[in-house]
Amino acid sequence: MFEYIEKCKKFEKLSTFNRYALLADKSLLVTSKLTELGFNVNESLSLIATFILGSIVSDGEVNEKEYLLMYPALLRTFGDNFDFDSIKEAFKNDFKTRKELKNYLKDILSLLNNVSNELKEDIVDICFAIVTIDGKLSLKERIYMRKLFSA
């Protein structure tokens, strides 16, 4: 438990520059490790995206920094017919998607139980970098991260 608390503190204090550098480095590292396990590059990127999206919505809300992080994917998927307020409102009222994301958590935890500790730690670090993008962990984010950390 002490290790988990220390990791929470470390990521809450991470500077924006270091956070983005860590995200880039760890994402490349995880992609490489997943391809070594037999996943193709697209599957590897999809898995990383699943972890990132799960982390973004783990507290049931989308804040502006999280929105900016996922903006390129939203733009590619939906075009430019949306803004922060519409995405925030849509997610707040989309209980079906939130339920599906909770089911994804089960799949995510299952995956984490089947990979090396080193790969698991890299994936968890990516998720920590995402949930602390605003410099703090909410209670829901802490619960989500504790589940990932303990998997």
Side-chain angles (χ1 to χ4, degrees):
M1 185 58 115
F2 176 75
E3 196 176 333
Y4 168 75
I5 293 169
E6 288 302 307
K7 193 169 273 270
C8 289
K9 289 178 185 177
K10 171 189 166 189
F11 278 91
E12 285 178 323
K13 292 177 184 175
L14 207 58
S15 72
T16 301
F17 176 80
N18 288 336
R19 179 178 318 284
Y20 283 104
L22 181 139
L23 279 169
D25 292 345
K26 293 283 184 175
S27 294
L28 287 173
L29 190 60
V30 169
T31 301
S32 173
K33 289 178 182 178
L34 288 171
T35 55
E36 288 173 9
L37 290 173
F39 293 94
N40 68 42
V41 174
N42 286 336
E43 291 170 331
S44 299
L45 294 174
S46 291
L47 282 170
I48 293 169
T50 300
F51 281 104
I52 290 173
L53 287 173
S55 299
I56 287 173
V57 300
S58 64
D59 61 356
E61 298 177 11
V62 177
N63 69 39
E64 288 184 49
K65 288 183 179 181
E66 294 166 337
Y67 170 77
L68 290 173
L69 182 66
M70 65 182 186
Y71 181 80
L74 292 170
L75 189 61
R76 198 170 354 166
T77 305
F78 302 113
D80 59 1
N81 295 329
F82 63 89
D83 60 14
F84 173 67
D85 291 330
S86 63
I87 294 296
K88 185 176 179 179
E89 190 63 30
F91 184 76
K92 187 169 89 173
N93 294 321
D94 191 352
F95 298 107
K96 181 181 176 193
T97 298
R98 286 169 46 191
K99 185 177 180 181
E100 288 173 9
L101 286 169
K102 285 184 181 181
N103 290 332
Y104 274 141
L105 179 58
K106 293 175 187 171
D107 295 336
I108 289 170
L109 293 173
S110 176
L111 175 67
L112 285 178
N113 285 322
N114 294 308
V115 298
S116 70
N117 285 336
E118 185 179 322
L119 178 53
K120 174 186 160 183
E121 187 173 325
D122 291 336
I123 292 169
V124 169
D125 282 352
I126 290 170
C127 295
F128 261 114
I130 299 297
V131 297
T132 58
I133 202 158
D134 57 358
K136 62 185 183 311
L137 280 164
S138 70
L139 178 60
K140 289 180 181 179
E141 289 168 333
R142 286 182 188 278
I143 292 168
Y144 173 77
M145 289 309 303
R146 188 176 306 125
K147 288 177 183 176
L148 292 182
F149 188 83
S150 301

